[in-house]
Every structure is written in C-alpha cells, then in structure tokens.
Amino acid sequence: MQIGMIGLGKMGGNMAERLRRGGHEVVGYDRDPDVSDVGSLKELVDRLEAPRAVWVMVPAGEPTRATIASLGDALSTGDVIIDGGNSHYLDDQKHGKELAEKGIKFVDVGVSGGVWGLENGYALMAGGDKADIATLKPIFDTLKPEGEDGFVHAGSIGAGHFAKMVHNGIEYGMMQAFAEGWELLEATDIVTDVPGAFKSWRHGTVIRSWLLDLLTRALDEDPGLEDLKGYAQDSGEGRWTVQAAVDHTVPLPVITAALYARFASRQEDSPAMKMVAALRNQFGGHAVTAAEGSYEKGADAPGAADSTMPEANGS
C-alpha cells in the first residue's frame, strides 16, 4: 500500500522504516531535508496516487493542527488523513467534522511503542469510520506487533486518542509505584541488593512487565541513578486523563497523584512544603531551617521522643 508520512523523527522515522520493510511504499516529508523524500507538503500530495492516505506524526497541539489544516486544503475528496500523534480527542472530533465538509476522511490513532517499535511493533488504538479503518488495515497490520493483539478499532473519531490517553495515565501510575518502591528499598539498610530485588520480580510475579524490564535495565546502567536529575516532564496526556475523569465524574486517585508527583519533581525547594514546615514550626516547634545540616526534630520525628535531649538536634 502507498502512504505519505509527515514527521520523520524518532517515532515517525521508525514507523516509516517498518512500513517499508513490510513492503509498503512510503513517501516521507520532514522539515529536515536530510531525511525527507520530498521538499514540501504539496510535493508529497502530488507523489501519492488517489485516493491518498497521509499519516501525520508531528508534535501534538498547534503543529498538528496546522499540518492537518494545510492537508485539508491540499487533498481531495476521498483522501484520508491519519493523526498518529498524541492529540487531544476533542481536537480529533473537530478535525473530523471540518474535513468531512471537504469530503476528506479522518482517522485518529494512538500509538505506543517508543524507540523499540521498529523491531517490536507498535500498539495501535484507532478511532474512525469502520470502512476507513478497513482500508488502512494493511498499514495497521504491518505496524503492530506479531500475533493477535496490538491493534484495536476503539470506536468513532476521537476514540483512539482517548484510549491512548488513558493508557498513558495508567503508565503514570505504574511508573510512580515502581519509583516509590525503589526509593523505599534504597532508604533501608535491610535490603543490600536493590537492583537484584527488582530483577527477582521480573519472572513469576504479578508485577512483571516491560516497565519493570526497563527499570532493571536503567539500574544496570546506573545503579544509584546518580547521573540523572529527579525531574520528570509530563506529555500532557496525564493532565488530559485527569481532566476527563473530572468531566465524567470518575475517581482517579492513583493517576492524579502520579501527575502531581511529576509537578513536585520540578521544584527544587517546594513553596508549599515551606509553608507546611512553617506551620508545623508555629504549632509544634518543628523547625527545619534552610542552613545545610541545621534542623530540629519535632516530637513526631523518629528518635525524637524528647526534643530537649542533645541527640534530638543532630543531623
């Protein structure tokens, strides 16, 4: 099958390569001329035979909106646009409606697989009309992992990115649980082989997973994670998941807490925790000063039953 691919970065470039290996003809366009097959969107459209299929794999938000708007002006009736980025599902519904007025079809696809997808395949969650999904099935079959699973026609336009949004929200929660478990293991003197503990969970346990495999890989490369800073960005989909939960009155305490933990990671010295410390000091004398190594243990601190004793003022 012939398809255009717009955006040839880490994901788009590998997806284009996997499709080529699968026997498909891919015409790729990217702002980087070194990886692009054509010099413009117009040239890409001209190279494709009608009815055309164009897969958009650019950053979510304005880059995707602008690309889809340009394609809407360049494509013809019967052509189809696939948005494989991390767009918001409400944007999908808007794009689908606007393109339908021009006779152009639209399919949204949530894609998971990261840099490993080229060799292992990509999990695909698609939203759109049943007939359009069927037309694109050869593309989906090549991109997905081998076997029965790895692809779902999740529902109407927007359903693919909604499913991927929830997938990423779950990922937030799982990653946070592993991270908290690692921190607790590191905090005790009882467990002397923390990487080994995680490795022991990789087979035969209920928490075995690809994330756990990646965690042990990270610990092999940097056992104390000393080369990293404790800063975690969020892609936006975690926020959207929490907002959707509010919109549908569905409680998501784990995913919400994981999102807030990422926000907390960006604060070198949390303003909110400064206020907590100030209040604790006011009502209980539990002061923690900014001077390094200088603090007082409150009555609720371990080993500080009598804060007037000398050892209660140690570090």
Side-chain angles (χ1 to χ4, degrees):
M1 182 173 175
Q2 187 188 55
I3 189 168
M5 180 71 72
I6 299 176
L8 301 173
K10 291 180 180 179
M11 287 283 283
N14 282 346
M15 290 169 67
E17 177 61 24
R18 185 174 174 89
L19 288 171
R20 289 189 176 107
R21 293 180 185 181
H24 301 280
E25 179 187 350
V26 181
V27 181
Y29 170 70
D30 193 274
R31 290 183 300 176
D32 181 357
D34 292 336
V35 299
S36 188
D37 299 318
V38 293
S40 66
L41 287 180
K42 182 180 184 305
E43 187 178 349
L44 178 140
V45 171
D46 291 343
R47 285 269 300 269
L48 298 174
E49 299 176 2
R52 305 170 185 85
V54 181
W55 192 302
V56 178
M57 207 69 191
V58 301
E62 189 53 36
T64 293
R65 288 191 285 269
T67 301
I68 290 176
S70 296
L71 285 173
D73 294 333
L75 293 175
S76 305
T77 298
D79 294 344
V80 59
I81 296 174
I82 307 103
D83 179 3
N86 286 328
S87 294
H88 195 281
Y89 69 97
L90 293 179
D91 280 353
D92 295 328
Q93 295 172 352
K94 181 173 181 288
H95 292 150
K97 182 178 180 181
E98 292 173 349
L99 292 169
E101 295 173 354
K102 300 180 179 183
I104 299 171
K105 304 170 183 180
F106 180 80
V107 170
D108 64 286
V109 181
V111 181
S112 181
V115 296
W116 303 88
L118 174 59
E119 301 300 332
N120 299 338
Y122 301 88
L124 306 172
M125 297 141 269
D129 183 79
K130 185 176 181 180
D132 298 335
I133 299 296
T135 299
L136 296 168
K137 196 63 164 51
I139 296 295
F140 299 146
D141 286 343
T142 300
L143 287 174
K144 79 175 193 67
E146 294 183 5
E148 182 179 353
D149 299 322
F151 172 82
V152 62
H153 179 196
S156 59
I157 290 176
H161 281 144
F162 195 99
K164 177 57 166 37
M165 176 188 73
V166 174
H167 164 280
N168 280 26
I170 294 171
E171 178 185 301
Y172 274 45
M174 293 175 66
M175 292 173 68
Q176 185 66 24
F178 278 130
E180 291 175 7
W182 173 78
E183 183 174 0
L184 180 55
L185 287 171
E186 286 284 351
T188 179
D189 294 331
I190 300 173
V191 179
T192 57
D193 185 1
V194 174
F198 278 100
K199 288 181 180 180
S200 74
W201 300 342
R202 292 180 61 193
H203 302 284
T205 75
V206 295
I207 63 169
R208 62 189 185 274
S209 63
W210 188 40
L211 276 178
L212 181 56
D213 292 341
L214 294 176
L215 187 155
T216 59
R217 176 189 174 99
L219 291 177
D220 282 342
E221 295 174 352
D222 183 9
L225 302 183
E226 296 174 354
D227 295 336
L228 299 173
K229 183 179 179 181
Y231 179 104
Q233 189 58 270
D234 68 288
S235 64
E237 290 182 288
R239 303 184 190 201
W240 298 341
T241 304
V242 172
Q243 183 59 57
V246 173
D247 294 341
H248 292 83
T249 61
V250 175
L252 298 184
V254 171
I255 294 173
T256 302
L259 174 64
Y260 287 171
R262 295 198 179 193
F263 294 163
S265 77
R266 300 166 204 172
Q267 298 175 324
E268 292 185 4
D269 192 9
S270 168
M273 293 312 296
K274 282 186 177 182
M275 178 55 70
V276 170
L279 290 171
R280 292 184 75 248
N281 188 40
Q282 290 297 317
F283 70 68
H286 312 307
V288 178
T289 68
E292 184 177 356
S294 174
Y295 69 93
E296 295 179 0
K297 291 183 178 179
D300 59 346
D306 185 353
S307 62
T308 63
M309 296 180 65
E311 60 267 29
N313 296 318
S315 60

